[in-house]
Amino acid sequence: MMMMLSPILTLMVLAKAHAFIISPAVASHSSGGESRLNVGGDGSDETSVNVLGTQLQPCCADVRNTGIGTGFYRNGYCSTGEQDMGRHTICVRVTEEFLQFSQSAGNDLSTPFPQYLFPGLQEGDIWCLCAQRWVQAYEAGKAPQVFLQATHEKTLDYAPFELLREYAIDKDAADQALGDLNEQRDKLNKLL
């Protein structure tokens, strides 16, 4: 008789095995200062914050029309929680140079693993990477570009904002968002 695991238990087992997550989870993570993942009916992550301090934007909900979303929870967001030991928090546009680097570092991201809802990555794909892997790639001169608005704030535990901004694809939009936040902050300060 085959034993069926709940989605949350499946996530925990896979996380411990350092495997890819099989399906999106609808879960809450509130301990340890983690962002609370609240996946809405539309797959949105309504409460996580990006490196700019604004609402986390989607990274990629459908890689190459496979129906597979990126992120630890496969919901299209670079959300994180207690089970995400690798901190899949940084949204990037993958390059062939990065894929070769990752494979040489022992993490083959090019080979599909359908059993884990992993399509295998190709140059140009948008994907949530582990923050530490991105830093390793940066140190090796192989880091891919970043979408700041879709990169979770926990990434700042691994890389400073200024460095991420240097690699930003959405630098102009990010600067506008920061400008808007600073303007709101100034208005609040005047009221106080």
Side-chain angles (χ1 to χ4, degrees):
M1 177 195 261
M2 193 167 112
M3 186 170 120
M4 297 298 290
L5 299 177
S6 74
I8 298 301
L9 186 54
T10 301
L11 289 172
M12 292 169 31
V13 168
L14 289 172
K16 288 185 185 240
H18 301 290
F20 295 100
I21 298 311
I22 290 179
S23 62
V26 178
S28 295
H29 309 284
S30 57
S31 65
E34 297 297 324
S35 294
R36 182 177 170 83
L37 177 64
N38 183 13
V39 180
D42 62 354
S44 64
D45 181 348
E46 300 167 351
T47 58
S48 290
V49 175
N50 63 29
V51 294
L52 304 171
T54 61
Q55 183 176 347
L56 185 67
Q57 298 300 306
C59 182
C60 183
D62 188 6
V63 178
R64 289 187 322 280
N65 296 315
T66 60
I68 298 172
T70 187
F72 182 78
Y73 299 101
R74 295 296 191 255
N75 65 355
Y77 288 78
C78 296
S79 303
T80 191
E82 293 175 22
Q83 295 90 3
D84 182 11
M85 303 299 190
R87 291 288 183 241
H88 297 78
T89 58
I90 185 163
C91 182
V92 302
R93 180 182 298 143
V94 176
T95 62
E96 183 61 36
E97 183 178 46
F98 169 75
L99 291 171
Q100 290 174 6
F101 165 77
S102 187
Q103 187 168 19
S104 72
N107 189 15
D108 178 8
L109 296 174
S110 300
T111 301
F113 288 97
Q115 67 272 33
Y116 300 121
L117 286 182
F118 182 69
L121 300 179
Q122 299 173 4
E123 182 166 359
D125 285 346
I126 309 300
W127 196 254
C128 296
L129 292 183
C130 295
Q132 288 179 313
R133 177 68 68 204
W134 187 87
V135 170
Q136 289 173 337
Y138 165 74
E139 290 170 348
K142 311 288 185 190
Q145 290 184 298
V146 176
F147 290 95
L148 294 175
Q149 295 179 89
T151 295
H152 194 280
E153 67 182 335
K154 287 289 183 182
T155 304
L156 297 173
D157 291 345
Y158 302 90
F161 177 76
E162 295 75 23
L163 177 60
L164 296 170
R165 189 176 177 280
E166 285 178 34
Y167 283 80
I169 295 170
D170 59 346
K171 190 180 300 186
D172 291 340
D175 287 347
Q176 180 64 49
L178 285 175
D180 292 348
L181 281 174
N182 287 332
E183 187 177 308
Q184 290 173 5
R185 192 174 293 120
D186 290 343
K187 287 179 183 178
L188 284 172
N189 284 334
K190 287 179 184 175
L191 291 173
L192 298 175

